[in-house]
RNA sequence: CGGAGCGUGGCGUAGUCCGGCAGCGCACCUGAAUGGGGUUCAGGGGGUCGCGAGUUCAAAUCUCGCCGCUCCGACCA
């Protein structure tokens, strides 16, 4: 294994894979397209999950768990929904193996299932089949359920975290008495996602509405948070859907309102996935490896003791103890690296893993009552008084969190363009990349032509769009919407 | 599913044309020194050369068949 990572400027895709594997976030699983999330990567996901789970619970949502297996017939209940997922479903057809002729195992043909079972690509259908049983009256609404689960989509081309055959996510499924309330729910969750991305992942996002072509199969409206990666491509980081009465109709889910009349319920669904881990990597990483935002970093501080003999080891251990106790009281996540490796090796290793702060403590420091503190984001090195460490660290962690966010905002601003003409639009997409903010005539035809000619797609329709006097970048017709175009993951 | 390529210790590879003891780097283990930016020296372990047939005194190498993977074209959080 070589020492560093492929530089971003040389090959961004190779850089990404290098960082993910060398920082030990994940590894490839044995089945094509599958991924093992390693402890360090899972810890990162856990912190993201914990933050969002709390936000959801604070807003009245509850967790539950629905089955992995779905009757094949359920998927066909909602026409658009089948259309969207049929091509990527794993199907269980048999339930038994038997000894094969050459000592291996073969599928037992006698165990063929009467009705085949699919592995969920998403859970709308099972959940709505259950909601039919649980919802009778307006008193049962709203129903605000979330589940943390794995789902399977048999993808052709996969990349660690960004697109894998199986992935982890949360999917919220809510039922409401009115359309207005359901629409509000989709927007409220979108706001939670924005806060998760910006306040925890330090990743600025645009929020907005998806075009017809890009929206979720089965939804009336899809909203999204969309981020710009360091290679200037767009990444959809989360979606919320207003489903109208589509699933209520498909599964015949009705309730009696206050006037004793039967009505179909209104629905939403929404999700973010382990793709967020990939988003963090591609938003903040540099040629030294990861740079993790302190609020979600598995370790916020790594301590590198520098000692040459047992006496020094003892001295450093004693010297460190009150500092570690103090940080522990402040709930700072600290790891002391006592491995028998050279300090230089450890510096590089933890930089690859993106730990926000490094504290070096050696014999010189013990003697002088000091320590060396180094920021991962700027590499600024400071010799600090021992007694100041405990007060300094939380402050620095906040600064790093903010600094990473600011850098990402600046990067996005620098690469967000306007285009005066379609010729300029094509030139920007082909030669510079980034986001282009422009007018669109609202037709799927225009959207598809632009996609085919440039590979750029509409990432979202801006919520604060200004269309007065605006023309479509392609057709020149009066714009129906102001949108962001970009090449996307 | 169409086009190109590749399968050799954990990873990356040389050797394949022209058959003759399976080699190198990293990683790993042991010991010693070293330790404030990827430390050095010494010793060591680990291989059905993707699988199966065939040719041959002899196959990683030649022939045939099979399997798997990667990359590129139509889909997607």
């Amino acid at each position: 294994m070589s020492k560093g990572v492929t530089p971003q400027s040389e090959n961004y895709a190779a850089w990404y894979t290098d960082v993910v594997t060398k920082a030990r976030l994940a590894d490839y699983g044995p089945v094509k397209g599958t991924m093992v999330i390693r402890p360090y990567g899972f810890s990162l996901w856990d912190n993201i999950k914990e933050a969002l789970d709390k936000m959801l619970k604070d807003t009245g949502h509850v967790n539950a768990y629905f089955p992995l297996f779905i009757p094949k017939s359920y998927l066909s209940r909602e026409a658009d929904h089948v259309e969207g997922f049929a091509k990527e479903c794993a199907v269980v057809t048999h339930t038994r193996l038997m000894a094969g002729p050459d000592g291996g195992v073969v599928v037992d043909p006698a165990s063929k299932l009467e009705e085949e079972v699919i592995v969920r690509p998403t859970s709308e259908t099972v959940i709505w089949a259950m909601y039919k049983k649980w919802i009778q009256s307006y008193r049962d609404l709203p129903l605000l359920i979330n589940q943390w689960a794995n789902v399977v989509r048999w993808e052709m081309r996969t990349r660690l975290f960004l697109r894998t055959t199986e992935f982890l996510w949360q999917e919220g499924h809510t039922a409401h008495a009115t359309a207005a309330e359901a629409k509000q729910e989709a927007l409220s969750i979108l706001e939670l996602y924005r806060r998760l991305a910006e306040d925890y992942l330090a990743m600025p996002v645009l929020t907005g509405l998806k075009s017809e072509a890009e929206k979720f199969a089965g939804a009336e409206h899809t909203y999204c948070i969309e981020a710009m990666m360091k290679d200037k491509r767009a990444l959809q980081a989360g979606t919320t859907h207003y489903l109208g009465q589509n699933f209520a109709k498909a599964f015949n889910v009705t309730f009696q309102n206050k006037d004793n009349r039967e009505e179909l319920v209104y629905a939403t669904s929404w999700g973010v996935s382990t793709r967020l881990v990939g988003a963090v990597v591609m938003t903040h990483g540099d040629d030294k490896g990861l740079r993790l935002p302190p609020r979600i970093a598995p370790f916020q501080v790594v301590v590198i003791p520098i000692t040459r003999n047992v006496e020094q080891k003892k001295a450093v251990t004693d010297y460190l103890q009150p500092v570690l106790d103090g940080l522990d009281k402040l709930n700072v996540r600290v790891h002391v690296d006592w491995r028998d490796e050279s300090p230089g090796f450890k510096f590089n290793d933890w930089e690859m893993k993106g730990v926000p702060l490094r504290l070096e403590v050696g014999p010189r420091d013990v003697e002088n009552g000091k320590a060396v503190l180094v920021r991962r984001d700027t590499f600024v090195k400071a010799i600090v008084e021992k007694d100041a460490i405990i007060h300094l660290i939380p402050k620095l962690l906040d600064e790093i969190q903010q600094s990473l966010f600011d850098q990402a905002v600046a990067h996005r601003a620098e690469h967000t363009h306007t285009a005066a003409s379609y010729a300029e639009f094509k030139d920007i997409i082909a030669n510079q990349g980034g986001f282009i903010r422009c007018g669109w005539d609202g037709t799927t035809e225009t959207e598809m032509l632009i996609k085919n000619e440039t590979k750029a797609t509409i990432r979202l329709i801006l919520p604060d769009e200004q269309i007065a006097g605006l023309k479509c970048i392609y057709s020149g017709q009066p714009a129906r919407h102001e949108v962001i175009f970009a090449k996307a993951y």
Side-chain angles (χ1 to χ4, degrees):
Chain A
M1 204 191 319
S2 64
K3 279 175 179 171
V5 292
T6 308
Q8 292 185 343
S9 56
E10 191 179 299
N11 182 341
Y12 194 81
W15 169 84
Y16 176 80
T17 307
D18 282 356
V19 170
V20 169
T21 53
K22 291 191 177 182
R24 302 205 173 177
L25 295 178
D27 204 348
Y28 294 95
V31 172
K32 188 179 161 178
T34 62
M35 162 176 76
V36 176
I37 304 175
R38 302 184 68 172
Y40 194 66
F42 201 82
S43 175
L44 183 56
W45 170 240
D46 249 350
N47 291 336
I48 294 170
K49 179 181 165 180
E50 200 176 310
L52 179 60
D53 198 61
K54 178 158 191 337
M55 287 190 230
L56 291 173
K57 283 175 178 160
D58 287 348
T59 49
H61 298 84
V62 291
N63 285 335
Y65 187 78
F66 294 84
L68 171 72
F69 296 123
I70 301 178
K72 196 180 67 176
S73 60
Y74 276 26
L75 204 69
S76 56
R77 299 263 193 109
E78 211 282 335
D80 292 332
H81 192 249
V82 206
E83 180 77 16
F85 290 106
K87 282 164 284 182
E88 49 189 35
C89 284
V91 184
V92 178
T93 57
H94 293 78
T95 66
R96 261 202 315 269
L97 296 173
M98 53 193 268
D102 323 315
V105 286
V106 294
V107 172
D108 181 354
S111 70
K112 191 166 175 14
L113 284 170
E114 198 123 315
E115 183 183 359
E116 290 159 344
V117 164
I118 64 162
V119 180
R120 62 181 166 216
T122 177
S123 302
E124 271 78 2
T125 58
V126 234
I127 289 180
W128 280 89
M130 297 312 294
Y131 282 7
K132 178 178 168 55
K133 294 171 71 174
W134 299 343
I135 297 170
Q136 276 101 40
S137 147
Y138 71 92
R139 294 178 204 275
D140 298 322
L141 298 173
L143 187 54
L144 307 174
I145 293 181
N146 176 61
Q147 82 164 340
W148 292 94
N150 58 339
V151 287
V152 168
R153 297 180 189 174
W154 215 267
E155 300 287 351
M156 291 287 148
R157 314 209 41 198
T158 58
R159 291 188 67 190
L160 294 172
F161 289 112
L162 299 178
R163 177 165 302 110
T164 46
T165 295
E166 177 189 6
F167 58 96
L168 304 184
W169 73 346
Q170 57 69 220
E171 47 178 324
H173 297 273
T174 67
H176 305 264
T178 66
E181 191 184 301
K183 283 177 187 171
Q184 183 51 50
E185 170 76 2
L187 288 171
S188 301
I189 298 293
L190 188 69
E191 173 59 14
L192 292 192
Y193 286 171
R194 187 196 63 73
R195 276 173 44 203
L196 177 71
E198 299 198 336
D199 298 349
Y200 289 84
L201 313 195
M203 176 174 76
V205 291
L206 296 176
T207 58
L209 189 64
K210 283 291 184 193
S211 66
E212 280 298 299
E214 296 280 332
K215 77 172 191 194
F216 172 72
E220 294 286 317
H221 302 300
T222 290
Y223 299 95
C224 64
I225 55 171
E226 201 83 19
M228 185 189 288
M229 301 294 100
K230 275 232 174 123
D231 65 349
K232 297 170 263 177
R233 286 172 70 180
L235 183 79
Q236 180 173 304
T239 49
T240 75
H241 315 289
Y242 167 62
L243 301 173
Q245 296 177 312
N246 292 344
F247 284 89
K249 278 179 198 151
F251 288 86
N252 194 30
V253 182
T254 59
F255 70 103
Q256 273 177 294
N257 65 21
K258 287 181 184 168
D259 307 323
N260 205 29
R261 281 205 313 271
E262 194 123 12
E263 274 191 74
L264 287 165
V265 305
Y266 294 86
T268 77
S269 69
W270 25 273
V272 294
S273 72
T274 37
R275 175 179 258 198
L276 288 177
V277 175
V280 169
V281 175
M282 291 198 293
T283 298
H284 304 300
D286 64 18
D287 286 346
K288 286 287 212 171
L290 291 174
R291 295 194 305 168
L292 295 179
R295 294 188 77 176
I296 55 165
F299 302 127
Q300 296 168 313
V301 181
V302 63
V303 180
I304 312 292
I306 295 153
T307 59
R308 7 186 137 214
N309 52 48
V310 283
E311 291 80 39
Q312 288 183 353
K313 194 169 175 177
K314 172 86 170 66
V316 167
T317 305
D318 292 347
Y319 183 79
L320 269 173
Q321 201 52 54
V323 177
L324 297 177
D325 290 342
L327 291 172
D328 191 52
K329 282 204 187 80
L330 295 170
N331 291 318
V332 176
R333 298 186 287 273
V334 184
H335 175 72
V336 185
D337 186 356
W338 280 111
R339 285 179 299 171
D340 189 18
E341 298 282 357
S342 72
F345 176 89
K346 292 178 186 176
F347 296 165
N348 284 284
D349 192 41
W350 292 108
E351 278 164 8
M352 183 68 73
K353 288 190 159 82
V355 178
L357 282 174
R358 177 174 84 230
L359 188 66
E360 303 170 23
V361 180
R364 288 211 298 269
D365 303 302
V366 173
E367 199 172 316
N368 303 326
K370 309 212 166 175
V372 177
L373 199 51
V374 185
R375 289 173 63 144
R376 174 64 180 86
D377 59 335
T378 57
F379 292 112
V380 169
K381 193 180 275 197
I383 296 172
V384 299
E385 298 291 332
K386 181 195 180 191
D387 297 337
I389 295 171
I390 291 172
H391 308 286
L392 214 47
I393 282 180
K395 195 170 129 276
L396 280 172
L397 291 174
D398 285 347
E399 270 180 40
I400 293 168
Q401 182 81 30
Q402 186 62 44
S403 156
L404 289 176
F405 181 75
D406 292 345
Q407 287 174 53
V409 169
H411 177 259
R412 185 182 66 185
E414 190 185 340
H415 300 289
T416 298
H417 311 276
T418 53
S421 64
Y422 186 57
E424 193 189 341
F425 179 103
K426 280 196 288 193
D427 180 67
I428 291 168
I429 292 295
N431 300 315
Q432 297 180 57
F435 290 179
I436 300 180
R437 181 173 184 150
C438 64
W440 169 49
D441 62 18
T443 67
T444 301
E445 293 70 50
T446 296
E447 190 179 356
M448 287 307 150
L449 286 166
I450 293 175
K451 181 177 179 178
N452 292 338
E453 291 172 24
T454 68
K455 304 256 188 208
T457 51
I458 295 176
R459 302 322 304 152
L460 52 79
I461 296 166
L462 291 157
D464 58 342
E465 55 182 343
Q466 307 288 328
I467 55 169
L470 191 68
K471 295 270 192 284
C472 174
I473 191 70
Y474 190 85
S475 66
Q477 295 297 305
R480 290 277 299 278
H481 292 294
E482 191 177 19
V483 301
I484 296 290
F485 271 96
K487 282 192 199 165
Y489 274 95

